[in-house]
Amino acid sequence: MGSGTMKPYVRPMPATWWLQRGPYVFFMLRELTSVFVAAYLVLFLVMIDRLHQGPAAYQSFLEMLKSPLAIVFHVVALAFALFHTFTWFNLTPKALVIRTGEKRVPPAAIIAPNYLAWIVISVIIGWIVVKG
Amino acid sequence: MANSTPDGTIRLEVFRYSPEKTEAPWYQTYEVPFRKDWVVLDALNYIKDQSDGSLTFRWSCRMGVCGSCGMMVNGIPKLSCAAFLRDYYPNPIRVEPLANFPVLRDLVFQLDSFIEKLKSVQPWIVRKQEKPVSEGEYLQSPAEHARYKDFSMCINCMLCYAACPVVGLEPEFLGPAAIALAQRYNFDSRDQGRSLRQEVVASHDGIWQCTFVGECSAVCPKHVDPAGAIQQAKVASTVDWFKEVLWPWGAAR
């Protein structure tokens, strides 16, 4: 190709590209969930540190958690954590393909064990928290 | 072209670029007859035949097989031979060249980068040692064929490259179709070239650039699922890595 005589026009990609279509917004939200999951983990580590410091420090930390700001953060973080969980669980059949002969195991059968494991682990943790 | 009588008109806003005339592109509006059985490609051919012979675009088969008429239709990558006017009527339709490619003229874009990427994955059957023709074919069972059949449906239309924001942001990214076609041969029981392809597929510009937006699979007119191909290649490459690190004697290729 005689590219010397051509002047290809490169269209700029605006920083707001992800606002131009619904699926891109959805993708960016899924990426953003990691920030909230990480922030919650930091809070959790701080809690363990306070527990290590003694009953008074732990008690003041629990008082702090009762503030409206802390409650709003927990609600938002929970929403993002659920979004994170649902979207990634539902994507597992893309990465994991199991075949039996010519047939592919249906995606629902790949997704279901994720939810099952999630429920079982949640029940076990819930049981430990309530009984402990 | 269809024989139905027109049912009013529909407006097309078409991306124009003439390097010898202007530095920047512009949008030109055309009114074309609205016919229920017309697709965007029919409307473009009508414009070229009836009102503006300078409008430039690629097309060939008109039936979703050749993969040459891909365009952005109202911002979404589509084969213009499969985008019916009736799905947009009475609203106007904006037609642009596929996103993420340099534009040469009007709706024609430069596809050299894609061809280079495609070649780099060696999308053909690679044998360590070819057997002579006298020994016959390489046989394959239906189950072995089923393993790669979906990936083999790719028509190189490049809609997936236009849908992928990573291609737009990182032009060196190997991209969806090239990786799907690498997997098509990696999964072929007759092929022995995976380790050669891995040098490209698992490189810096390969699978690890993918952030799994997933739109490549959503726009694919042949249901190839390149997003799936890339995630499966990531899993396989991770398994390779564990084998090399934890199981050195098992990493023999």
Short mmCIF file of all heavy atoms in Angstrom, two decimals, chain B residues 41-81:
data_model
loop_
_atom_site.label_atom_id
_atom_site.label_comp_id
_atom_site.label_asym_id
_atom_site.label_seq_id
_atom_site.Cartn_x
_atom_site.Cartn_y
_atom_site.Cartn_z
N LEU B 41 -26.39 -0.45 4.32
CA LEU B 41 -25.57 -0.60 3.11
C LEU B 41 -26.38 -0.28 1.85
O LEU B 41 -25.86 0.35 0.92
CB LEU B 41 -24.98 -2.02 3.03
CG LEU B 41 -24.07 -2.30 1.84
CD1 LEU B 41 -22.86 -1.38 1.83
CD2 LEU B 41 -23.61 -3.76 1.86
N ASP B 42 -27.67 -0.69 1.81
CA ASP B 42 -28.53 -0.35 0.67
C ASP B 42 -28.64 1.17 0.54
O ASP B 42 -28.60 1.72 -0.57
CB ASP B 42 -29.93 -0.95 0.84
CG ASP B 42 -29.92 -2.47 0.74
OD1 ASP B 42 -29.17 -3.00 -0.08
OD2 ASP B 42 -30.68 -3.11 1.50
N ALA B 43 -28.82 1.84 1.69
CA ALA B 43 -28.96 3.30 1.68
C ALA B 43 -27.69 3.96 1.17
O ALA B 43 -27.74 4.91 0.39
CB ALA B 43 -29.30 3.80 3.08
N LEU B 44 -26.51 3.44 1.60
CA LEU B 44 -25.23 4.01 1.13
C LEU B 44 -25.06 3.79 -0.37
O LEU B 44 -24.62 4.69 -1.09
CB LEU B 44 -24.06 3.38 1.90
CG LEU B 44 -23.98 3.71 3.38
CD1 LEU B 44 -22.87 2.88 4.04
CD2 LEU B 44 -23.73 5.19 3.63
N ASN B 45 -25.45 2.62 -0.86
CA ASN B 45 -25.36 2.35 -2.29
C ASN B 45 -26.32 3.25 -3.08
O ASN B 45 -26.00 3.69 -4.18
CB ASN B 45 -25.64 0.87 -2.57
CG ASN B 45 -24.37 0.03 -2.47
OD1 ASN B 45 -23.30 0.47 -2.86
ND2 ASN B 45 -24.51 -1.16 -1.93
N TYR B 46 -27.48 3.52 -2.48
CA TYR B 46 -28.43 4.44 -3.12
C TYR B 46 -27.80 5.83 -3.25
O TYR B 46 -27.86 6.45 -4.32
CB TYR B 46 -29.72 4.52 -2.29
CG TYR B 46 -30.71 5.52 -2.83
CD1 TYR B 46 -31.63 5.15 -3.81
CD2 TYR B 46 -30.71 6.84 -2.38
CE1 TYR B 46 -32.53 6.07 -4.33
CE2 TYR B 46 -31.61 7.78 -2.90
CZ TYR B 46 -32.51 7.38 -3.87
OH TYR B 46 -33.39 8.29 -4.39
N ILE B 47 -27.15 6.29 -2.17
CA ILE B 47 -26.49 7.60 -2.20
C ILE B 47 -25.42 7.62 -3.29
O ILE B 47 -25.34 8.54 -4.10
CB ILE B 47 -25.87 7.94 -0.83
CG1 ILE B 47 -26.96 8.09 0.24
CG2 ILE B 47 -25.00 9.20 -0.91
CD1 ILE B 47 -26.43 8.11 1.67
N LYS B 48 -24.61 6.58 -3.29
CA LYS B 48 -23.50 6.53 -4.26
C LYS B 48 -24.02 6.51 -5.70
O LYS B 48 -23.44 7.15 -6.58
CB LYS B 48 -22.61 5.31 -3.99
CG LYS B 48 -21.32 5.32 -4.81
CD LYS B 48 -20.23 4.51 -4.14
CE LYS B 48 -18.97 4.50 -4.98
NZ LYS B 48 -18.09 5.64 -4.70
N ASP B 49 -25.11 5.76 -5.93
CA ASP B 49 -25.67 5.66 -7.29
C ASP B 49 -26.43 6.91 -7.71
O ASP B 49 -26.38 7.32 -8.86
CB ASP B 49 -26.62 4.45 -7.38
CG ASP B 49 -25.88 3.14 -7.28
OD1 ASP B 49 -24.65 3.13 -7.44
OD2 ASP B 49 -26.54 2.10 -7.02
N GLN B 50 -27.18 7.50 -6.78
CA GLN B 50 -28.15 8.54 -7.15
C GLN B 50 -27.72 9.97 -6.85
O GLN B 50 -28.14 10.88 -7.54
CB GLN B 50 -29.50 8.28 -6.43
CG GLN B 50 -30.10 6.91 -6.68
CD GLN B 50 -30.55 6.72 -8.12
OE1 GLN B 50 -30.96 7.65 -8.80
NE2 GLN B 50 -30.42 5.49 -8.62
N SER B 51 -26.96 10.17 -5.78
CA SER B 51 -26.73 11.58 -5.43
C SER B 51 -25.27 11.97 -5.22
O SER B 51 -24.92 13.12 -5.44
CB SER B 51 -27.55 11.96 -4.19
OG SER B 51 -27.21 11.16 -3.09
N ASP B 52 -24.43 11.07 -4.76
CA ASP B 52 -23.06 11.49 -4.46
C ASP B 52 -22.09 10.33 -4.72
O ASP B 52 -21.83 9.52 -3.84
CB ASP B 52 -22.97 11.96 -3.01
CG ASP B 52 -21.62 12.57 -2.67
OD1 ASP B 52 -20.69 12.45 -3.49
OD2 ASP B 52 -21.51 13.18 -1.59
N GLY B 53 -21.55 10.32 -5.93
CA GLY B 53 -20.65 9.23 -6.32
C GLY B 53 -19.32 9.26 -5.61
O GLY B 53 -18.54 8.30 -5.69
N SER B 54 -19.05 10.36 -4.88
CA SER B 54 -17.74 10.46 -4.21
C SER B 54 -17.72 9.73 -2.86
O SER B 54 -16.66 9.55 -2.27
CB SER B 54 -17.37 11.93 -4.00
OG SER B 54 -18.18 12.49 -2.99
N LEU B 55 -18.90 9.35 -2.36
CA LEU B 55 -18.96 8.66 -1.06
C LEU B 55 -18.25 7.30 -1.17
O LEU B 55 -18.56 6.49 -2.05
CB LEU B 55 -20.42 8.46 -0.63
CG LEU B 55 -20.63 7.80 0.73
CD1 LEU B 55 -20.06 8.66 1.85
CD2 LEU B 55 -22.10 7.53 0.97
N THR B 56 -17.29 7.08 -0.26
CA THR B 56 -16.45 5.89 -0.37
C THR B 56 -16.65 4.96 0.82
O THR B 56 -16.63 5.40 1.96
CB THR B 56 -14.96 6.32 -0.45
OG1 THR B 56 -14.83 7.30 -1.48
CG2 THR B 56 -14.06 5.15 -0.74
N PHE B 57 -16.88 3.69 0.52
CA PHE B 57 -17.06 2.68 1.58
C PHE B 57 -16.75 1.31 1.01
O PHE B 57 -16.74 1.10 -0.20
CB PHE B 57 -18.48 2.72 2.16
CG PHE B 57 -19.58 2.69 1.13
CD1 PHE B 57 -20.20 1.49 0.79
CD2 PHE B 57 -19.99 3.85 0.49
CE1 PHE B 57 -21.21 1.45 -0.17
CE2 PHE B 57 -21.00 3.82 -0.47
CZ PHE B 57 -21.61 2.63 -0.81
N ARG B 58 -16.46 0.36 1.92
CA ARG B 58 -16.14 -1.00 1.49
C ARG B 58 -17.37 -1.89 1.64
O ARG B 58 -18.08 -1.80 2.64
CB ARG B 58 -15.02 -1.59 2.36
CG ARG B 58 -13.65 -1.02 2.12
CD ARG B 58 -12.63 -1.89 2.85
NE ARG B 58 -11.27 -1.37 2.67
CZ ARG B 58 -10.56 -0.81 3.64
NH1 ARG B 58 -11.07 -0.71 4.87
NH2 ARG B 58 -9.36 -0.36 3.41
N TRP B 59 -17.56 -2.77 0.69
CA TRP B 59 -18.59 -3.79 0.83
C TRP B 59 -18.34 -4.86 -0.21
O TRP B 59 -17.62 -4.63 -1.18
CB TRP B 59 -20.00 -3.21 0.67
CG TRP B 59 -20.30 -2.68 -0.70
CD1 TRP B 59 -19.87 -1.50 -1.22
CD2 TRP B 59 -21.08 -3.30 -1.71
NE1 TRP B 59 -20.33 -1.34 -2.50
CE2 TRP B 59 -21.10 -2.44 -2.83
CE3 TRP B 59 -21.80 -4.51 -1.79
CZ2 TRP B 59 -21.77 -2.74 -4.00
CZ3 TRP B 59 -22.49 -4.81 -2.96
CH2 TRP B 59 -22.47 -3.92 -4.05
N SER B 60 -18.92 -6.03 0.02
CA SER B 60 -18.79 -7.06 -1.00
C SER B 60 -20.03 -7.95 -1.06
O SER B 60 -20.80 -7.88 -1.99
CB SER B 60 -17.53 -7.89 -0.77
OG SER B 60 -17.43 -8.88 -1.74
N CYS B 61 -20.25 -8.76 -0.03
CA CYS B 61 -21.20 -9.87 -0.22
C CYS B 61 -22.66 -9.52 0.05
O CYS B 61 -23.54 -10.18 -0.42
CB CYS B 61 -20.79 -11.06 0.65
SG CYS B 61 -21.25 -10.89 2.37
N ARG B 62 -22.94 -8.48 0.85
CA ARG B 62 -24.29 -8.06 1.26
C ARG B 62 -25.01 -9.11 2.11
O ARG B 62 -26.20 -9.00 2.30
CB ARG B 62 -25.19 -7.74 0.04
CG ARG B 62 -24.65 -6.67 -0.87
CD ARG B 62 -25.57 -6.46 -2.06
NE ARG B 62 -25.55 -7.60 -2.96
CZ ARG B 62 -26.58 -8.39 -3.18
NH1 ARG B 62 -27.72 -8.19 -2.58
NH2 ARG B 62 -26.47 -9.40 -4.01
N MET B 63 -24.31 -10.12 2.58
CA MET B 63 -25.03 -11.16 3.33
C MET B 63 -24.28 -11.64 4.57
O MET B 63 -24.40 -12.78 4.97
CB MET B 63 -25.39 -12.32 2.41
CG MET B 63 -24.21 -12.83 1.60
SD MET B 63 -24.75 -13.89 0.25
CE MET B 63 -25.06 -15.40 1.14
N GLY B 64 -23.49 -10.77 5.18
CA GLY B 64 -22.89 -11.08 6.48
C GLY B 64 -21.86 -12.18 6.46
O GLY B 64 -21.69 -12.89 7.44
N VAL B 65 -21.18 -12.34 5.33
CA VAL B 65 -20.17 -13.39 5.24
C VAL B 65 -18.77 -12.83 5.01
O VAL B 65 -17.79 -13.31 5.58
CB VAL B 65 -20.53 -14.40 4.12
CG1 VAL B 65 -19.43 -15.43 3.95
CG2 VAL B 65 -21.85 -15.08 4.42
N CYS B 66 -18.68 -11.76 4.19
CA CYS B 66 -17.35 -11.29 3.78
C CYS B 66 -16.66 -10.47 4.86
O CYS B 66 -15.44 -10.41 4.91
CB CYS B 66 -17.43 -10.51 2.48
SG CYS B 66 -18.08 -8.83 2.65
N GLY B 67 -17.44 -9.78 5.69
CA GLY B 67 -16.83 -9.01 6.78
C GLY B 67 -16.21 -7.70 6.36
O GLY B 67 -15.38 -7.16 7.07
N SER B 68 -16.59 -7.15 5.19
CA SER B 68 -15.94 -5.90 4.77
C SER B 68 -16.77 -4.65 5.00
O SER B 68 -16.23 -3.55 4.85
CB SER B 68 -15.52 -5.99 3.30
OG SER B 68 -16.47 -6.63 2.52
N CYS B 69 -18.04 -4.75 5.36
CA CYS B 69 -18.89 -3.55 5.46
C CYS B 69 -19.12 -3.09 6.89
O CYS B 69 -20.10 -2.41 7.16
CB CYS B 69 -20.21 -3.76 4.73
SG CYS B 69 -21.34 -4.88 5.59
N GLY B 70 -18.21 -3.43 7.80
CA GLY B 70 -18.37 -3.00 9.19
C GLY B 70 -18.30 -1.49 9.32
O GLY B 70 -17.41 -0.86 8.74
N MET B 71 -19.24 -0.90 10.06
CA MET B 71 -19.27 0.55 10.29
C MET B 71 -19.85 0.82 11.66
O MET B 71 -20.50 -0.04 12.24
CB MET B 71 -20.18 1.24 9.24
CG MET B 71 -19.69 1.11 7.82
SD MET B 71 -20.93 1.63 6.64
CE MET B 71 -20.21 0.94 5.14
N MET B 72 -19.62 2.04 12.18
CA MET B 72 -20.30 2.45 13.39
C MET B 72 -21.68 2.96 12.98
O MET B 72 -21.79 3.91 12.20
CB MET B 72 -19.54 3.57 14.11
CG MET B 72 -18.09 3.27 14.44
SD MET B 72 -17.85 1.84 15.51
CE MET B 72 -18.32 2.51 17.11
N VAL B 73 -22.74 2.31 13.45
CA VAL B 73 -24.09 2.75 13.16
C VAL B 73 -24.68 3.26 14.47
O VAL B 73 -24.86 2.49 15.41
CB VAL B 73 -24.94 1.59 12.57
CG1 VAL B 73 -26.35 2.06 12.28
CG2 VAL B 73 -24.28 1.05 11.31
N ASN B 74 -24.90 4.57 14.52
CA ASN B 74 -25.30 5.24 15.77
C ASN B 74 -24.37 4.84 16.93
O ASN B 74 -24.80 4.54 18.03
CB ASN B 74 -26.76 4.94 16.12
CG ASN B 74 -27.72 5.81 15.32
OD1 ASN B 74 -27.29 6.64 14.51
ND2 ASN B 74 -29.01 5.63 15.54
N GLY B 75 -23.08 4.81 16.64
CA GLY B 75 -22.08 4.60 17.68
C GLY B 75 -21.80 3.15 18.04
O GLY B 75 -20.97 2.88 18.91
N ILE B 76 -22.50 2.20 17.39
CA ILE B 76 -22.29 0.79 17.71
C ILE B 76 -21.72 0.07 16.48
O ILE B 76 -22.25 0.23 15.38
CB ILE B 76 -23.62 0.15 18.18
CG1 ILE B 76 -24.09 0.84 19.45
CG2 ILE B 76 -23.45 -1.35 18.41
CD1 ILE B 76 -25.45 0.42 19.94
N PRO B 77 -20.65 -0.71 16.65
CA PRO B 77 -20.09 -1.41 15.50
C PRO B 77 -21.06 -2.45 14.96
O PRO B 77 -21.55 -3.30 15.71
CB PRO B 77 -18.83 -2.11 16.06
CG PRO B 77 -18.62 -1.54 17.42
CD PRO B 77 -19.93 -1.03 17.90
N LYS B 78 -21.35 -2.35 13.65
CA LYS B 78 -22.29 -3.29 13.03
C LYS B 78 -21.86 -3.57 11.61
O LYS B 78 -21.19 -2.76 10.98
CB LYS B 78 -23.70 -2.67 12.98
CG LYS B 78 -24.40 -2.65 14.31
CD LYS B 78 -25.87 -2.30 14.14
CE LYS B 78 -26.57 -2.17 15.47
NZ LYS B 78 -26.82 -3.44 16.12
N LEU B 79 -22.26 -4.73 11.09
CA LEU B 79 -22.15 -4.96 9.65
C LEU B 79 -23.27 -4.14 9.03
O LEU B 79 -24.44 -4.34 9.37
CB LEU B 79 -22.33 -6.45 9.32
CG LEU B 79 -21.25 -7.41 9.83
CD1 LEU B 79 -21.58 -8.83 9.39
CD2 LEU B 79 -19.87 -7.01 9.33
N SER B 80 -22.92 -3.22 8.11
CA SER B 80 -23.97 -2.33 7.58
C SER B 80 -24.95 -3.11 6.70
O SER B 80 -26.05 -2.65 6.43
CB SER B 80 -23.35 -1.17 6.81
OG SER B 80 -22.51 -1.63 5.79
N CYS B 81 -24.58 -4.33 6.29
CA CYS B 81 -25.51 -5.16 5.51
C CYS B 81 -26.52 -5.85 6.41
O CYS B 81 -27.45 -6.51 5.93
CB CYS B 81 -24.75 -6.21 4.70
SG CYS B 81 -23.96 -7.47 5.72
#
